[in-house]
Amino acid sequence: MSQGIGRLKKLKDLNLMQNKLINLPCDIGDLTNLEDLIVHGNNLTSLPKEIGEMVALKHISIGDNDLSSLPDEIMNLNNLEYISLENNNFTSEDAKNGRTGLVTLNV
């Protein structure tokens, strides 16, 4: 995925499921109106810290990747209601640490 995705300022839903992505561009944080991010089933080993700038996010599906941690900036996502983390490389405690506002946590 190339830089430039951040120019899609009005985008509300982004589905990049099963695209063999190994990273997300930093300018993904510019998608401040995005509510649903699906990057399930890729080869992601980390998420950019800029994900914390995506303040409208309500749902994130990042299961079936190679993640071992989440960036601290994910704590900035006060509207986040659902996060799917299953089949990654971290423990349930790592995934839940500090996310008390979640409605649904799928690990």
Side-chain angles (χ1 to χ4, degrees), residues 7 19 29 42 47 71:
R7 291 186 296 224
N19 278 285
N42 284 288
L47 296 175

Side-chain angles (χ1 to χ4, degrees), residues 45-107:
T45 57
S46 65
L47 296 175
K49 66 180 181 178
E50 289 80 6
I51 198 165
E53 299 168 16
M54 301 168 75
V55 294
L57 268 180
K58 293 181 181 178
H59 306 98
I60 303 175
S61 178
I62 52 177
D64 288 319
N65 279 286
D66 294 317
L67 299 169
S68 59
S69 66
L70 297 173
D72 291 338
E73 290 79 6
I74 206 160
M75 299 302 294
N76 298 337
L77 303 178
N78 295 324
N79 292 314
L80 192 62
E81 297 174 355
Y82 172 88
I83 186 167
S84 174
L85 303 169
E86 78 276 356
N87 298 319
N88 277 289
N89 296 322
F90 38 63
T91 67
S92 294
E93 284 306 308
D94 291 336
K96 290 188 281 191
N97 190 17
R99 273 300 341 156
T100 57
L102 288 175
V103 175
T104 305
L105 171 65
N106 186 9
V107 289

